[in-house]
Amino acid sequence: MTTPLPTTFVAGDEGSWIIERIASVSGAALPPAARLDVREGLLGPSGAWVLRGVAGHPRYVQRAEQDALGRIQPPLGRAEATRAALIPIRKSAAWWALAQDERRAILEERSHHIAEGLKYLPAIARRLYQSRELGEPFDFLTWFEYAPEHAEAFEELVLLLRSTEEWTYVEREVDVRLVK
Amino acid sequence: MTTPLPTTFVAGDEGSWIIERIASVSGAALPPAARLDVREGLLGPSGAWVLRGVAGHPRYVQRAEQDALGRIQPPLGRAEATRAALIPIRKSAAWWALAQDERRAILEERSHHIAEGLKYLPAIARRLYQSRELGEPFDFLTWFEYAPEHAEAFEELVLLLRSTEEWTYVEREVDVRLVK
């Protein structure tokens, strides 16, 4: 995705996604709500809560990885992908004080974030939204869509990422699970 | 700078910087105005034009470079730095389609953007604001402050950067010169 895509996740009484559960992984959770609406644009407050982010160019992916991802990653909105997860994440000041090469080394060379994620494609469709420089409470909004038969694989991926060195820099993480 | 600093540059009749000239380098220029006010926060339209950006963590700088910059880079707002330049830049879709390692190779290994910039420190204070994912007309707002005796060095730095491979990806650039 090279053209920025501004997006607002609106939790409330509307939207095509039913919120199954909202759980805190680290730090404060988010208030309960019945449904989630994914809208284009950076919109103002409404409903129970809103989270805003912009999908854009990748920050760490190298050419060979980008090509591998391009060959295999599925689009969002597949009919069979009736499960989703919205996992907003904030990293610590220590993470943001690292230089680019140090962040890359932790994220990929030592935590294998990109390589491990590739193994779960095309089952699990993903999109990353940047939020930090919008003044949002989270740095990233991670979004995943998958079919019910891949629910177990998704849990495996999430547990794997949370066990990495990269995740020692995560200071707030909320796990919002959704069904269509 | 690891905590994001949202900033709005307001061109109009107010502000401590007098606009000396506004010149297009590539693409459309910006409308004329008398003064420039640099305000904290992402503010709405006012005056002749506004440009908004967020200073944040560096995107390409590696640890050794970050340490070298940290040792030598001066703060903004020095009393003797009565000249400034605001140079907003937009890069092409081809730039944003590149992977991180390709962008780094062009920016530093082949264009020496960071190493050349270091040579002009501490004379020329700089700050980079990210604008692309705010939906702004430019991708970056670059800001420079220097004393009158370093005006020639500043022209040299600007010409040097504009002659690099990196600059072949610049599709819009406006040069706004200011005095206090």
Side-chain angles (χ1 to χ4, degrees), chain A residues 2 59 102 132-133, chain B residues 2 59 63 102 132-133:
Chain A
T2 58
R59 304 306 208 258
E102 295 172 311
R132 179 170 173 79
E133 290 171 358
Chain B
T2 58
R59 304 305 209 258
R63 169 51 53 195
E102 295 172 311
R132 179 170 174 79
E133 291 173 356

Side-chain angles (χ1 to χ4, degrees), chain B residues 1 5 7 9 17 38 55 73-81 83-85 121-129 142-146 180:
Chain B
M1 172 147 315
L5 179 66
T7 302
F9 295 87
W17 292 100
V38 185
Q73 70 190 350
L76 297 186
R78 293 171 295 174
E80 70 274 21
R83 305 285 178 92
L121 296 178
I124 296 162
R126 306 187 298 169
R127 187 173 280 164
L128 176 66
Y129 300 86
T142 65
W143 176 261
F144 306 88
E145 290 179 6
Y146 49 96
K180 221 172 202 167

Side-chain angles (χ1 to χ4, degrees), chain B residues 158-172:
Chain B
V158 164
L159 286 179
L160 189 149
L161 287 171
R162 287 180 185 150
S163 71
T164 60
E165 180 182 346
E166 183 193 350
W167 244 252
T168 64
Y169 292 90
V170 171
E171 63 175 27
R172 189 177 176 198

Side-chain angles (χ1 to χ4, degrees), chain A residues 1-4 6 42 54-64 66 93 96-103 130 132-134, chain B residues 1-4 6 42 54-64 66 93 96-103 130 132-134:
Chain A
M1 174 149 315
T2 58
T3 301
L42 299 180
V54 181
H57 65 286
R59 304 306 208 258
Y60 299 101
V61 169
Q62 300 184 346
R63 170 50 54 194
Q66 193 159 312
W96 296 110
L98 295 172
Q100 175 70 24
D101 56 335
E102 295 172 311
R103 283 183 273 110
Q130 305 281 340
R132 179 170 173 79
E133 290 171 358
L134 301 179
Chain B
M1 172 147 315
T2 58
T3 301
L42 298 180
V54 181
H57 63 286
R59 304 305 209 258
Y60 299 101
V61 168
Q62 299 185 347
R63 169 51 53 195
Q66 192 159 312
W96 295 110
L98 295 172
Q100 175 71 24
D101 55 336
E102 295 172 311
R103 283 182 272 112
Q130 304 282 340
R132 179 170 174 79
E133 291 173 356
L134 301 179

Side-chain angles (χ1 to χ4, degrees), chain A residues 20 30 33 36 53 58 84 102 168-169:
Chain A
E20 270 203 326
L30 288 162
L36 187 76
E102 295 172 311
T168 64
Y169 292 91

